[in-house]
Amino acid sequence: MLYKETLHKLIELTDNKEVTPKDIYDSLLRRIKQKDTDINAYVSVFEEFAPNDKTGILRNIPITIKDNMHIKGKKTTCSSKILENYTAIFDATVVEKLKNEGSVFIGKTNLDEFAMGSSTETSYFGTTRNPWDLTKIPGGSSGGSAAAVASGEAICALGSDTGGSIRQPAALCGVVGLKPTYGRVSRYGLVAFASSLDQIGPITKDVEDAAILMNIISGKDPKDSTSADVAVDDFTKYLNTDISGMKIGVYDKVLQDCSSDVGKSMEESIDIFRRLGCELTSVDLPNAKYAVSDYYIIAPAEASSNLERYDGVKYGFRADNYENLKDMYIKTRSQGFGTEVKRRIMLGTYVLSSGYYDAYYLKAQKLRGLIKQDFDRAFEQFDVIIAPTTPTEAFGIGEKANNPLQMYLSDIFTIPASLAAIPAISIPNGISKNSLPLGLQIMANVFREDNIFKCASAYEKEFNIIKNLPLD
Ligand code: GLN
């Protein structure tokens, strides 16, 4: 039953020599065999335990990695046909840092193709299913990572978040997911989707595990010029602290857009924080309501440029039966990318084209500045801002797959923090009447993950969510 445990518990057990890392690995492999035919969380599983001789804190405990980050010698598919047979030739910085702390890896998890989506349904390798209810989506794009952690197919995992891809699946699978401040964690070796938004972060069973992983993966990296030169903190020191007196802004304007379950769980959250001695006041973020529209100009614009490199020459798949170079490009990209990725590339190319650049892209950048200003103003007054992570519980597989606008709206609460480059966590916030998990989002000012950890750790004690996870 080792697969059920948290990372910190397993560190303790291996330290006391009560279990060996091989026991943990074998327990996970058995669990994956038992569950993954249904859940489809993994794109690849590494059957062989390959111990690492480094003596760091991770003690050869296996970590799971979203399949858009490189592990040298392993495939990185981004759940796309175009990279189906691509083998990574170097380690992502986060992977290198985990290896240096003595970690091993057990597999790579499913995602929406190139991390574009909110349900993991755009994966070339098929949908991941929510372990709480196999007819529901697990969220996305890090749906494989979140479903693996929630079902005990992983001890903990890394995901990536561009507009909500760590927080939204964490919420819908009942686990913890943190998107760090933009620049806190190196993006080197993370396949780029929208470079000004992409960030890597932990998906874990509890807040302490998120702090442990953040201690390892944070820090300036000479290989990523956008990584920030900020000292690496020990985030575990913010756990289990007294949060009375903390000032919390409640982004409650949004509650009208939520299901009644989500509204109710937010009301309960407010009561809980009051009991913990915090001061809560409503906060307005007047421009946040434009965030989804803004994001769907900026993210596709960057994606259209980043995905130019998949041309049948430099990487991966190449179509057969082409007549000349141009025909090869067209056939390769037409056959290699799925519908959602093509939609983003076309949208992005359009908003960057010379006649529309000012009207769309430049305007979107200005709006991004206004959204950031709303947060700057709010954080003069508040230590953190809380909001639901998602407007509803997990929806049904297929329910929104053919309606991109509906799908895009499932990220209305996560996208503002992405545009503002601020850190935000999703933590379990109870269970809906349909027995599906809900998430509470806690946002803080740039590089104030300390406030997030204080708040999330104090709050987490209210829900014994690990007990509720579908781990049996
Ligand atoms: N769902 C959003 C999108 O489709 C966000 C994805 C992400 O954060 N990678 O772009």
Side-chain angles (χ1 to χ4, degrees):
M1 298 302 204
L2 291 170
Y3 68 83
K4 289 187 180 186
E5 300 294 348
T6 56
L7 177 62
H8 57 89
K9 178 77 183 176
L10 291 173
I11 291 174
E12 195 188 304
L13 292 176
T14 39
D15 265 359
N16 298 340
K17 309 256 181 299
E18 287 170 54
V19 300
T20 68
K22 177 86 167 55
D23 297 335
I24 304 170
Y25 206 88
D26 289 344
S27 166
L28 277 173
L29 282 180
R30 279 195 299 274
R31 183 69 177 170
I32 293 170
K33 289 235 157 66
Q34 180 198 351
K35 286 281 159 187
D36 213 47
T37 321
D38 284 341
I39 296 177
N40 195 30
Y42 280 90
V43 173
S44 46
V45 176
F46 312 145
E47 300 282 342
E48 203 157 320
F49 175 63
N52 172 346
D53 56 11
K54 301 259 175 19
T55 49
I57 162 182
L58 291 176
R59 321 270 195 283
N60 278 308
I61 298 168
I63 313 277
T64 291
I65 305 285
K66 183 177 180 180
D67 203 18
N68 61 351
M69 292 169 228
H70 297 314
I71 302 177
K72 189 176 174 181
K74 305 287 186 196
K75 280 187 186 172
T76 305
T77 69
C78 290
S79 290
S80 178
K81 176 176 177 174
I82 217 155
L83 287 178
E84 189 179 2
N85 293 312
Y86 176 77
T87 300
I89 53 172
F90 64 94
D91 280 331
T93 295
V94 289
V95 165
E96 190 185 322
K97 281 174 181 276
L98 289 169
K99 280 187 178 170
N100 287 338
E101 280 300 336
S103 147
V104 296
F105 303 100
I106 191 150
K108 310 272 307 275
T109 45
N110 203 8
L111 61 148
D112 282 293
E113 186 179 1
F114 283 99
M116 297 175 191
S118 307
S119 64
T120 321
E121 290 170 292
T122 74
S123 166
Y124 177 62
F125 303 110
T127 308
T128 297
R129 292 169 183 275
N130 192 315
W132 293 71
D133 176 345
L134 296 175
T135 68
K136 307 285 183 199
I137 57 103
S141 64
S142 313
S145 290
V149 174
S151 62
E153 290 187 57
I155 303 302
C156 58
L158 291 187
S160 69
D161 189 310
T162 306
S165 277
I166 288 175
R167 292 161 283 160
Q168 187 255 19
L172 301 185
C173 290
V175 293
V176 172
L178 171 70
K179 179 199 92 75
T181 307
Y182 182 80
R184 176 73 90 174
V185 177
S186 168
R187 293 181 294 111
Y188 181 74
L190 165 70
V191 176
F193 162 12
S195 310
S196 77
L197 295 155
D198 298 341
Q199 235 344 247
I200 296 169
I203 297 181
T204 55
K205 295 193 188 97
D206 71 359
V207 176
E208 182 170 349
D209 279 2
I212 293 171
L213 288 178
M214 280 301 290
N215 283 354
I216 299 169
I217 64 174
S218 300
K220 173 77 186 158
D221 177 12
K223 294 182 191 136
D224 171 7
S225 62
T226 62
S227 69
D229 203 357
V230 174
V232 178
D233 209 343
D234 174 8
F235 296 104
T236 59
K237 71 178 189 242
Y238 305 113
L239 306 173
N240 307 311
T241 56
D242 178 8
I243 61 164
S244 58
M246 215 169 192
K247 295 193 176 55
I248 301 182
V250 185
Y251 185 41
D252 48 12
K253 285 255 155 49
V254 295
L255 293 180
Q256 75 229 25
D257 302 323
C258 295
S259 71
S260 59
D261 276 334
V262 170
K264 220 165 79 230
S265 79
M266 272 303 285
E267 277 164 28
E268 281 166 23
S269 311
I270 294 169
D271 286 346
I272 291 169
F273 279 120
R274 286 229 163 87
R275 254 192 283 132
L276 293 169
C278 304
E279 293 170 32
L280 290 98
T281 328
S282 278
V283 59
D284 192 14
L285 303 163
N287 294 292
K289 58 177 174 290
Y290 307 119
V292 174
S293 324
D294 201 39
Y295 173 89
Y296 277 97
I297 292 180
I298 292 172
E302 294 183 20
S304 74
S305 159
N306 276 327
L307 272 62
E308 243 169 42
R309 69 192 73 173
Y310 307 103
D311 59 2
V313 179
K314 300 185 198 74
Y315 300 94
F317 169 78
R318 178 187 292 185
D320 309 321
N321 302 327
Y322 48 88
E323 274 153 29
N324 51 41
L325 183 65
K326 188 170 169 201
D327 191 42
M328 190 279 285
Y329 286 154
I330 293 173
K331 287 195 170 129
T332 294
R333 288 169 66 86
S334 301
Q335 294 167 26
F337 289 133
T339 311
E340 185 59 29
V341 173
K342 285 183 211 161
R343 181 181 293 122
R344 306 282 178 112
I345 292 173
M346 285 191 277
L347 205 59
T349 309
Y350 181 81
V351 300
L352 289 176
S353 57
S354 63
Y356 297 101
Y357 187 89
D358 289 1
Y360 292 108
Y361 186 68
L362 213 59
K363 200 164 171 190
Q365 291 292 9
K366 287 183 188 157
L367 178 56
R368 185 173 183 181
L370 293 176
I371 292 169
K372 172 86 176 90
Q373 270 177 25
D374 286 350
F375 279 106
D376 288 347
R377 238 174 261 139
F379 287 124
E380 283 169 14
Q381 213 184 325
F382 299 109
D383 300 308
V384 296
I385 295 173
I386 59 168
T389 310
T390 60
T392 63
E393 64 194 22
F395 46 90
I397 290 173
E399 201 178 310
K400 299 188 183 179
N402 296 318
N403 189 339
L405 282 182
Q406 272 302 315
M407 188 70 87
Y408 296 172
L409 284 172
S410 58
D411 296 325
I412 44 175
F413 302 143
T414 50
I415 285 178
S418 302
L419 292 168
I422 59 172
I425 199 168
S426 178
I427 54 172
N429 197 21
I431 289 168
S432 74
K433 57 179 176 306
N434 297 325
S435 304
L436 289 167
L438 300 169
L440 172 73
Q441 188 180 199
I442 307 172
M443 300 171 257
N445 208 349
V446 282
F447 299 109
R448 295 310 304 269
E449 280 87 347
D450 55 336
N451 282 335
I452 287 184
F453 278 116
K454 282 182 194 165
C455 228
S457 153
Y459 190 81
E460 160 182 70
K461 311 224 159 12
E462 298 294 322
F463 296 98
N464 197 347
I465 196 85
I466 297 184
K467 257 208 167 125
N468 290 324
L469 285 175
L471 293 170
D472 288 332

